[in-house]
Structures are given as C-alpha cells and as structure tokens.
Amino acid sequence: MNVAVIGSGTMGSGIAQVAATAGCEVKIYDTNLEALHKSKISLENTLTKLLEKEKISAKDKFRIVNNITYVHALADLSHSDLVIEAIVENLEVKRKLFSDLENYVSPETIIASNTSSLSIASIAASCQKPERVIGIHFFNPAPLMQLVEVIPAVQTSNEVLKITSQTIVEWNKVVAVTKDTPGFIVNRVARPFYSESLRIYEEGVADFATIDWSLKTLGGFRMGPFELMDFIGNDVNYTVTETVFTAFYFDPRFKPSFTQKRLMEAGFYGRKSGRGFYNYNQELPQPKEDSLLAKAIFERVIVMLINEAADALFLNVASAKDIDNAMTKGVNYPKGLLAWADELGIQWCVDMLDVLYHEYHEDRYRCSAILRRMATNNQNFF
C-alpha cells in the first residue's frame, strides 16, 4: 500500500514509522523543508536506538528507512492509496487541505484525519467525495501506543471503514471504532480524570501532590492527573477540554477549570516550560499520605470516569469492549472503566454519584441512565 502522511511533526513522523515498519511505501509531506529534515534525522536516531536495544535488526532499519520518502509538493502524493493528515488542530486549515488534496489524488484514495477532537463530518464536507473521508486517531507516541481510534463520519462509506480498519490491524494496532462525537472515546471519557481532580483541588480538599499520590496509590494509574497534564502540556490539555465543552453545547460535565486556564495564560505549560502545576526548577512537594483522604479522592474521580464511560456506551459512541480497550491501550489506564465498574459494583457507582449530586445539585454529577437501569436489573457490563 502507498501511504502519505501530511505533517512531519512528532505525530506525523510516528505514523509514518508505523506504516513503513508494516511494509508500506510512505511519503511524508510538509511545506517546511527544515521540518522534513528534522523528521528524517529523528527517525534515523529512533531506529538506531531500537537497533542498539536489539528491538529491530540492521536489515529492518534499512528497510524502514528506505520505505520513507520526504516530499514538499502535494502533487507528489498522487499515487497514494491512503493519506493521513497530521497537522495543526484547526478545522478551517484541515478543510482547506482536504479540498486541495482532492485535486491531486485519485478518486479511490482514502483521505483520513488524525484529529483528536474535531468533527470528521465537517472535514469530509469540504470534499467532493466525502464518502472517502474518515478519522484515524493515533496516540502519542504512535509507534508505541497500541490503540487507534477509527472514526467514520456520517458520509463515510462502509467500504472505506472496512478497508481502514483492516489496514490499521495489519499495522499491528488495536482498532476502536467510535462515533463521530466530540472527543471520540478517549478525549471524552478521560476528561473527569483532569476536571474532577481540579475541582477537588479548587475546593481545598487536597493539594496537587496528594491528589496525584492518591490516584497512583489506590488507582494504579502510572501518572497522577497533575503530573499528566504537565507532561501533556497545559496549553494542549486545556484546549482539548475547552473544545469538548463547547462541542457538547456547554454541558457542565465538561466544564474547564480556571486554575488550569490561568496557568496556560501565564505560560506555565508544564514540563516543557519548566513550570506548570509543579515547578520543575525546584524540589517537588511531598504528598500528605492520609489513607482516608486518598480513598475519598480516588472514589470521587473513579466514579466520574466510570459515569462518563457508561454514558458513552449509553449513547452508542462505541461498544463496551472498544471503550475499555481505548482507555487501557490509548492512555494506559490500569483497568477498563466498565470492567472497573463491574468490580466496584454498579449499585455502588449509582449510590456514589447520587451522594455527589445531592451534595452539589450540579448536572456534572448526574448519573448515567444506563447505570441506574443496570443497578435496578442487577446487571454487569461484562
């Protein structure tokens, strides 16, 4: 298969590496020649490290490198079977690119966007053949993360969905097919990990370090929410939250936090700027290791995550299996949230959410109808 990747940044280069490793002939397109050169050097360095660790052979490295060509003219993509766009997260920029791209590729070429939260239907509408447009959302770093969300728009043909899903499986990735709704699976379901932790902090219940420690200790998460937001970048994480909040018609479940907004406005993006929720230029604070406090924090965050996963299932965003796969393989959660709900007890989840709702009387704590029905019928997700 001939694959083109538009955008030579970290994500675009990673996707190209995945496709080239799977045996595809790949072209990386970028208008910035310096960025293309950096992408080439970066790939060489990555493959050299893999060779040194004996993850690949010298023959593999030679094959992967030679499967990739670097180009800076859209006309060079004319023979592509699949084009994946991985450029700036701006709807109008993407729409213009897709419209222009149709002038160069064949009518059979599948055109995909790696967007993490924008409407695939809106991107597809810019094309004369919208049925060939689909979302293929990789997670960073693309060569390491197993999950790929595949998002058909309302215009996408069944054949394009079938070919795309088969292709991603052939690239040794796990496919989660999701409805074209804001945030898809992961960026929708994961929002409470950040937002409820921020709310707990803003209420003065605990500081950043204690909240992070609680979720790592009791939940088994690899990183706490504040560590993770600093790692992702507060500018990136806040923008996704704001995008999802707006796209869901300002549903209070997705309401952004002023705490994070102010850090973003101050340029405190996290690790990349040296300061975010934590100041990385000085010794990091120690958590208050209080087991009862940790339990209260963990239970509040986990039940909000479960509620969001349950609501995604209730609204047919994806199957229960795909939702749990998305969270374990897309963002490395220690367990699938729906399986976690079964373990904790569906009735426990309903009771916990009702306690929060009765305390706050805010719609952000409303219990998903599917949880209430399942508790009544004594059902589990799996």
Side-chain angles (χ1 to χ4, degrees):
M1 174 180 271
N2 292 317
V3 176
V5 178
I6 297 179
S8 63
T10 302
M11 181 58 78
S13 298
I15 294 170
Q17 181 184 333
V18 170
T21 301
C24 298
E25 295 292 324
V26 183
K27 289 183 178 177
I28 300 182
Y29 163 86
D30 205 306
T31 54
N32 187 324
L33 293 177
E34 184 180 349
L36 282 175
H37 180 68
K38 285 183 178 178
S39 174
K40 186 174 183 178
I41 297 301
S42 177
L43 177 66
E44 288 272 2
N45 291 338
T46 297
L47 295 176
T48 297
K49 289 176 183 175
L50 290 173
L51 179 61
E52 290 170 352
K53 294 177 181 177
E54 300 184 348
K55 298 285 181 71
I56 61 172
S57 65
K59 185 178 179 180
D60 288 331
K61 179 184 174 182
F62 179 82
R63 177 181 59 82
I64 295 167
V65 167
N66 282 277
N67 277 349
I68 300 178
T69 307
Y70 300 82
V71 300
H72 59 95
L74 282 178
D76 292 327
L77 311 183
S78 59
H79 298 296
S80 303
D81 301 305
L82 169 64
V83 179
I84 303 175
E85 162 273 313
I87 62 171
V88 62
E89 195 75 340
N90 180 291
L91 181 59
E92 292 311 311
V93 172
K94 290 181 189 291
R95 282 170 57 88
K96 184 179 187 308
L97 171 64
F98 275 58
S99 179
D100 292 344
L101 194 57
E102 279 196 307
N103 297 319
Y104 298 98
V105 298
S106 79
E108 290 74 38
T109 301
I110 295 172
I111 309 176
S113 175
N114 183 61
T115 179
S116 61
S117 58
L118 297 176
S119 163
I120 304 300
S122 184
I123 295 171
S126 67
C127 295
Q128 293 186 11
K129 283 179 62 67
E131 64 274 12
R132 51 126 139 233
V133 176
I134 195 165
I136 303 178
H137 180 216
F138 286 80
F139 291 81
N140 202 14
L144 297 181
M145 301 305 290
Q146 289 182 284
L147 184 84
V148 177
E149 291 178 322
V150 173
I151 312 103
V154 291
Q155 306 100 310
T156 307
S157 73
N158 289 333
E159 185 64 15
V160 166
L161 173 58
K162 181 182 175 182
I163 292 170
T164 301
S165 297
Q166 287 176 342
T167 299
I168 300 303
V169 169
E170 288 168 3
W171 291 1
N172 293 314
K173 297 296 184 183
V174 175
V175 169
V177 177
T178 171
K179 190 184 286 186
D180 184 17
T181 55
F184 312 134
I185 301 172
V186 171
N187 278 322
R188 173 196 184 139
V189 174
R191 300 289 22 109
F193 188 64
Y194 314 113
S195 63
E196 199 58 27
S197 298
L198 280 158
R199 179 64 178 266
I200 290 167
Y201 164 77
E202 288 173 342
E203 290 178 12
V205 174
D207 59 18
F208 303 139
T210 301
I211 296 168
D212 279 349
W213 172 80
S214 301
L215 287 161
K216 288 190 293 183
T217 302
L218 293 185
F221 291 95
R222 294 187 185 183
M223 298 178 77
F226 299 102
E227 289 177 304
L228 186 52
M229 284 185 280
D230 273 357
F231 180 77
I232 294 168
N234 279 306
D235 51 338
V236 175
N237 188 267
Y238 178 82
T239 299
V240 172
T241 299
E242 192 174 53
T243 300
V244 171
F245 179 55
T246 303
F248 272 108
Y249 307 109
F250 307 103
D251 188 320
R253 287 185 306 167
F254 303 107
K255 187 178 179 180
S257 158
F258 280 116
T259 297
Q260 189 175 29
K261 187 173 193 285
R262 293 295 180 259
L263 288 178
M264 185 189 74
E265 291 168 343
F268 295 169
Y269 300 143
R271 286 189 173 274
K272 62 186 175 185
S273 67
R275 183 171 174 182
F277 292 103
Y278 297 105
N279 187 338
Y280 296 94
N281 299 309
Q282 60 187 39
E283 187 177 346
L284 298 181
Q286 294 300 306
K288 180 182 179 181
E289 298 188 5
D290 181 323
S291 59
L292 288 177
L293 178 60
K295 183 174 183 289
I297 292 167
F298 164 70
E299 290 182 344
R300 184 166 160 182
V301 173
I302 198 65
V303 80
M304 292 294 281
L305 284 167
I306 287 169
N307 196 42
E308 199 55 54
D311 215 49
L313 179 64
F314 177 59
L315 296 174
N316 294 301
V317 172
S319 68
K321 179 183 176 183
D322 280 352
I323 290 169
D324 271 13
N325 271 341
M327 304 315 291
T328 57
K329 300 181 187 302
V331 280
N332 286 323
Y333 278 19
K335 300 176 189 175
L337 292 168
L338 299 178
W340 218 332
D342 287 346
E343 182 182 307
L344 291 169
I346 305 299
Q347 187 63 58
W348 178 87
C349 296
V350 172
D351 292 343
M352 183 72 183
L353 287 161
D354 284 348
V355 166
L356 288 166
Y357 184 80
H358 288 310
E359 181 178 356
Y360 291 97
H361 286 273
E362 290 182 41
D363 244 12
R364 76 187 273 129
Y365 298 111
R366 68 185 185 269
C367 178
S368 176
I370 194 172
L371 286 173
R372 215 174 280 287
R373 289 177 190 172
M374 290 172 68
T376 300
N377 297 315
N378 198 28
Q379 293 175 310
N380 285 333
F381 287 108
F382 297 103

